[in-house]
Coordinates of all heavy atoms in Angstrom, one line a residue:
F48 N 3.3 -5.6 5.7 CA 3.8 -6.3 6.9 C 5.1 -7.1 6.5 O 5.1 -7.7 5.4 CB 2.7 -7.3 7.4 CG 1.5 -6.7 7.8 CD1 0.5 -6.3 6.9 CD2 1.2 -6.5 9.2 CE1 -0.7 -5.7 7.4 CE2 0.1 -5.9 9.6 CZ -0.9 -5.5 8.7
N50 N 5.9 -9.3 8.8 CA 5.6 -10.5 9.5 C 4.0 -10.7 9.4 O 3.3 -10.1 10.2 CB 6.0 -10.5 10.9 CG 5.6 -11.7 11.7 OD1 5.0 -12.7 11.2 ND2 5.8 -11.6 13.0
M52 N 2.1 -12.9 10.3 CA 1.6 -13.7 11.4 C 0.9 -12.9 12.4 O 0.1 -13.4 13.2 CB 2.7 -14.5 12.1 CG 3.4 -15.6 11.1 SD 2.3 -16.8 10.5 CE 2.1 -17.8 11.9
I53 N 1.0 -11.6 12.4 CA 0.3 -10.7 13.3 C -1.0 -10.2 12.9 O -1.7 -9.5 13.7 CB 1.3 -9.5 13.8 CG1 1.5 -8.6 12.6 CG2 2.5 -10.0 14.4 CD1 2.2 -7.3 13.0
L54 N -1.3 -10.5 11.6 CA -2.6 -10.0 11.1 C -3.8 -10.3 11.9 O -4.7 -9.4 12.1 CB -2.8 -10.4 9.6 CG -2.1 -9.6 8.5 CD1 -2.1 -10.3 7.2 CD2 -2.7 -8.3 8.4
D55 N -3.9 -11.6 12.3 CA -5.1 -12.0 13.0 C -5.3 -11.2 14.4 O -6.4 -10.9 14.7 CB -5.1 -13.5 13.2 CG -6.3 -14.1 13.8 OD1 -7.4 -13.7 13.2 OD2 -6.3 -14.8 14.8
S56 N -4.2 -10.9 15.0 CA -4.4 -10.3 16.3 C -4.7 -8.8 16.1 O -5.1 -8.1 17.1 CB -3.1 -10.4 17.1 OG -2.0 -9.8 16.4
L57 N -4.6 -8.3 14.9 CA -4.9 -6.9 14.6 C -6.3 -6.8 14.0 O -6.7 -5.7 13.7 CB -3.9 -6.3 13.7 CG -2.5 -6.1 14.3 CD1 -1.6 -5.6 13.2 CD2 -2.5 -5.3 15.5
S58 N -7.1 -7.8 13.8 CA -8.3 -7.8 13.2 C -9.3 -6.9 13.9 O -10.1 -6.2 13.2 CB -8.9 -9.2 13.0 OG -9.1 -9.9 14.2
F96 N 4.2 -2.3 8.9 CA 4.3 -3.0 10.2 C 5.6 -3.8 10.1 O 5.6 -4.8 9.4 CB 3.1 -3.9 10.4 CG 1.8 -3.1 10.7 CD1 1.1 -2.5 9.6 CD2 1.3 -3.0 11.9 CE1 0.0 -1.8 9.8 CE2 0.1 -2.3 12.1 CZ -0.5 -1.7 11.1
I97 N 6.6 -3.3 10.8 CA 7.9 -4.0 10.7 C 8.5 -4.3 12.0 O 8.0 -3.9 13.0 CB 9.0 -3.0 9.9 CG1 9.2 -1.8 10.8 CG2 8.5 -2.7 8.6 CD1 10.3 -0.9 10.3
V112 N 5.5 1.5 18.7 CA 5.6 0.1 18.8 C 4.4 -0.6 19.3 O 3.8 -0.1 20.3 CB 6.9 -0.2 19.7 CG1 7.0 -1.7 19.9 CG2 8.1 0.3 19.1
L113 N 4.0 -1.7 18.7 CA 2.8 -2.5 19.2 C 3.5 -3.8 19.5 O 4.5 -4.2 19.1 CB 1.9 -2.7 18.0 CG 1.2 -1.6 17.5 CD1 0.2 -2.0 16.4 CD2 0.3 -0.9 18.5
S114 N 2.7 -4.6 20.4 CA 3.1 -5.9 20.8 C 2.0 -6.9 20.5 O 1.4 -7.4 21.4 CB 3.5 -6.0 22.3 OG 4.6 -5.2 22.6
P115 N 1.7 -7.1 19.2 CA 0.7 -8.1 18.8 C 1.2 -9.5 19.0 O 2.4 -9.8 18.9 CB 0.4 -7.8 17.4 CG 1.6 -7.2 16.9 CD 2.2 -6.5 18.0
E116 N 0.3 -10.5 19.2 CA 0.6 -11.8 19.3 C 0.6 -12.5 17.9 O -0.3 -12.2 17.1 CB -0.3 -12.5 20.2 CG 0.1 -14.0 20.5 CD -0.8 -14.6 21.6 OE1 -0.7 -14.1 22.6 OE2 -1.5 -15.6 21.2
Q117 N 1.6 -13.3 17.6 CA 1.6 -14.1 16.4 C 0.5 -15.2 16.4 O 0.4 -15.9 17.4 CB 2.9 -14.8 16.1 CG 4.1 -13.8 15.9 CD 5.4 -14.6 15.6 OE1 5.5 -15.7 16.0 NE2 6.3 -13.9 15.0
N118 N -0.4 -15.2 15.4 CA -1.4 -16.2 15.4 C -1.3 -17.0 14.1 O -0.6 -16.7 13.2 CB -2.8 -15.5 15.5 CG -3.0 -14.9 16.9 OD1 -2.6 -15.5 17.9 ND2 -3.6 -13.7 16.9
P134 N 3.7 -19.4 19.6 CA 3.1 -18.0 19.5 C 3.5 -17.1 20.5 O 3.3 -17.3 21.7 CB 1.5 -18.3 19.6 CG 1.4 -19.7 19.9 CD 2.7 -20.4 20.0
V135 N 4.2 -16.0 20.1 CA 4.7 -15.0 21.0 C 4.3 -13.7 20.6 O 3.8 -13.4 19.6 CB 6.3 -15.1 21.1 CG1 6.7 -16.5 21.6 CG2 6.8 -14.8 19.7
R136 N 4.4 -12.7 21.6 CA 4.2 -11.4 21.3 C 5.4 -10.8 20.6 O 6.5 -11.0 21.1 CB 3.8 -10.5 22.5 CG 2.4 -10.8 23.1 CD 1.9 -9.8 24.0 NE 0.6 -10.0 24.4 CZ -0.5 -9.6 23.7 NH1 -0.3 -8.9 22.6 NH2 -1.7 -9.8 24.1
T137 N 5.2 -10.1 19.6 CA 6.4 -9.5 18.8 C 6.4 -8.0 19.0 O 5.3 -7.4 18.9 CB 6.4 -9.9 17.4 OG1 5.2 -9.4 16.8 CG2 6.5 -11.4 17.1
Q138 N 7.6 -7.5 19.1 CA 7.6 -6.0 19.0 C 7.6 -5.5 17.6 O 8.5 -5.8 16.8 CB 8.9 -5.5 19.7 CG 9.0 -5.9 21.2 CD 8.0 -4.9 21.9 OE1 8.1 -3.8 21.9 NE2 7.2 -5.6 22.8
T139 N 6.5 -4.9 17.2 CA 6.3 -4.4 15.9 C 6.2 -2.9 15.8 O 5.4 -2.3 16.5 CB 5.0 -5.1 15.3 OG1 5.1 -6.4 15.4 CG2 4.8 -4.6 13.9
A140 N 7.0 -2.3 15.0 CA 7.0 -0.8 14.8 C 6.0 -0.6 13.7 O 6.0 -1.2 12.6 CB 8.3 -0.3 14.5
V141 N 5.1 0.3 14.0 CA 4.1 0.8 12.9 C 4.7 2.1 12.4 O 4.9 3.1 13.1 CB 2.8 1.0 13.4 CG1 1.8 1.4 12.4 CG2 2.2 -0.3 14.1
F162 N -6.9 2.6 19.4 CA -6.9 1.1 19.6 C -5.8 0.6 20.5 O -6.0 -0.2 21.4 CB -6.8 0.5 18.2 CG -6.9 -1.0 18.3 CD1 -8.1 -1.7 18.4 CD2 -5.7 -1.8 18.2 CE1 -8.1 -3.1 18.5 CE2 -5.7 -3.1 18.2 CZ -6.9 -3.8 18.4
T167 N -5.0 -4.6 24.7 CA -3.9 -5.2 25.3 C -2.6 -4.9 24.5 O -1.5 -5.3 25.0 CB -4.0 -6.7 25.5 OG1 -4.3 -7.3 24.2 CG2 -5.2 -7.0 26.4
I168 N -2.8 -4.5 23.3 CA -1.6 -4.2 22.5 C -0.9 -2.9 23.1 O -1.6 -1.9 23.3 CB -1.9 -3.9 21.1 CG1 -2.5 -5.2 20.5 CG2 -0.7 -3.4 20.3 CD1 -2.9 -5.1 19.0
T169 N 0.3 -3.0 23.5 CA 1.0 -1.9 24.1 C 1.6 -1.0 23.0 O 2.0 -1.5 21.9 CB 2.1 -2.3 25.0 OG1 3.1 -3.0 24.3 CG2 1.6 -3.2 26.1
A170 N 1.6 0.3 23.2 CA 2.2 1.2 22.2 C 3.2 2.1 22.9 O 2.9 2.8 23.9 CB 1.1 2.1 21.6

Side-chain angles (χ1 to χ4, degrees):
F48 295 82
N50 178 7
M52 299 297 285
I53 64 171
L54 275 170
D55 189 48
S56 63
L57 296 175
S58 60
F96 291 75
I97 62 171
V112 177
L113 297 177
S114 295
E116 186 172 297
Q117 293 180 340
N118 290 322
V135 295
R136 288 198 174 273
T137 60
Q138 293 290 308
T139 302
V141 181
F162 178 80
T167 57
I168 297 176
T169 61

